[in-house]
Structure formats: structure tokens, C-alpha cells
Amino acid sequence: MAEQAVSDIERAIAPWASRFGRTLADVAVDLKTFEVMLKKWQAAQNLVSRETLDAFQERHIVDSLQTLPFLPPEAVEVFDLGSGGGLPGLPLAIALKGVGTRFSLCESNARKTAFLRAVNRDLGLGARVLHSRIEALDSRETGRGDVILARALAPLNRLFELAFPLLAPGGILVFHKGRENGAEIDQAGADWRFDVVKHASATSDEGVVLEISNLRPKS
């Protein structure tokens, strides 16, 4: 693995190093391994948009790790819904390896699930890979998430429907959203009560990260 490539990742992820469970260098090596594995598997299946591969660090690694400040240090269970190529869950699981946080990567596509399991195994992340549609997950079997993540999965109202049955009391939701986030918040407000804080995206001028708490249905 090229030392320069790892050094580039170290510089990109340094702002969040205080939250890492290991040294900056160790996290960077594992993130580079993840990138190499994803690009290898990408040749056989569509894990991420091909247009983003040349800017992988910014579009996927930095985009995932920018949510670290919104994950409470005491969070034990984190669910990544519709994980796909493992984003944002895998970069976060790599960064937090060794701190006692368990990630559950939820994905219905069998080939993507195989990729998630391969990365989880090769990097020793201790995550759970749940091969299932989100609607079919039963919190009596999976437990509930202190934090629920999703990126590019569904409109906010639908995300609430999917996430609420899996959300622990007092849990939060952290969602990447694009330019239509305001309209989605307004639409979701017709059926749900919630508190939301918008954070500017580190990787998109039009994107935001929504930090949502106190979610409950209106009826």
C-alpha cells in the first residue's frame, strides 16, 4: 500500500482524530484498505456511483466521518440503514474500532451484503451485517440503535417510518440530505414531532447533515 496514499488520508481525517479508538495512522491504513476493497468489488457490482470514485476520500470517507461529532461518545449501538457499499457505517466503524461501539449494517442486496461482510471480516470490525429489508427487521431480535444513520436512502418522512421502530429511547438520527432538505423537513412535520439541527456538509455546498432527536409520531 503506497505510503503517500495513506498520508493523504491521514491529512483528510485528522480533524476527527480525537474521537478515534486508535492512532490516526492505524485508522488511515484501514480506511485505505476499505477504499481498495471497494474499488476492486466495484468492478463486478455497483457499490457507489462510478462518478465519485476519483474523489473517493472526499465523497465517501470525509463525507462519512463528518458525522462523528454528532455521535454521542456513550452510544453503544449504531444502525446504518441501507448501508450499500458501507457508507457511512464502515468508515465510522473503522474510526471507532476499539471504543465499544457496535455497528449494525442493514442491507437487502445480497452482493452488497457479501462486500460488507468481507470488509468487516478482513478489518476485524466486529460489526453486524443484517441481510434484510429494513421493514423486516424486528427490534426484539436486533435490539435498538442509540444512533441511526442513513445516506441517500429515502425522503425524510419515509426514513422516520423505517427508523422509528429501531430507535432506542432517547436515541438520535443522523441523516445526510441534499438541497431539498427544507421541503422534506416540512413534509415530515405533518406526521411526526421531532427536533432537528442542520449542520452544513463538509463535502457539498448544497448538502446538510441533519441531527434529529425526540422523534415521535403525531398520532
Side-chain angles (χ1 to χ4, degrees), residues 6-196:
V6 174
S7 296
D8 290 344
I9 292 181
E10 285 188 24
R11 284 191 291 271
I13 67 176
W16 303 285
S18 64
R19 289 291 306 272
F20 295 168
R22 299 173 290 150
T23 67
L24 175 64
D26 286 343
V27 172
V29 168
D30 279 356
L31 287 170
K32 185 60 184 178
T33 299
F34 165 60
E35 178 182 350
V36 170
M37 290 182 70
L38 187 144
K39 288 181 176 179
K40 179 179 179 180
W41 283 64
Q42 178 79 11
Q45 57 189 291
N46 190 32
L47 294 170
V48 298
S49 171
R50 290 178 173 82
E51 290 74 22
T52 66
L53 291 175
D54 289 340
F56 190 90
Q57 289 179 31
E58 179 180 5
R59 294 291 296 275
H60 299 302
I61 292 177
V62 171
D63 193 51
S64 297
L65 293 187
Q66 69 173 313
T67 63
L68 263 178
F70 318 131
L71 274 61
E74 66 273 15
V76 175
E77 296 282 351
V78 178
F79 282 62
D80 180 15
L81 302 185
S83 193
L87 301 159
L90 282 177
L92 290 167
I94 290 169
L96 295 178
K97 180 180 177 182
V99 304
T101 303
R102 181 171 70 164
F103 283 78
S104 294
L105 311 174
C106 312
E107 175 55 48
S108 61
N109 182 284
R111 291 186 177 182
K112 292 178 180 178
T113 299
F115 169 73
L116 297 175
R117 286 176 173 156
V119 176
N120 185 44
R121 179 188 64 244
D122 289 1
L123 295 182
L125 299 179
R128 290 189 301 180
V129 179
L130 303 175
H131 179 209
S132 171
R133 292 184 59 82
I134 300 166
E135 302 91 327
L137 294 174
D138 187 338
S139 63
R140 292 171 297 183
E141 299 175 355
T142 65
R144 295 176 181 267
D146 301 305
V147 179
I148 294 183
L149 311 167
R151 189 181 89 150
L153 178 60
L156 194 59
N157 204 39
R158 179 57 175 156
L159 284 176
F160 286 169
E161 293 174 0
L162 294 170
F164 186 71
L166 301 170
L167 186 65
I172 66 168
L173 307 104
V174 180
F175 296 150
H176 292 73
K177 280 294 173 183
R179 69 176 74 177
E180 302 299 327
N181 66 87
E184 290 190 30
I185 290 171
D186 290 342
Q187 291 166 4
D191 300 313
W192 299 87
R193 301 184 191 279
F194 56 94
D195 298 324
V196 59

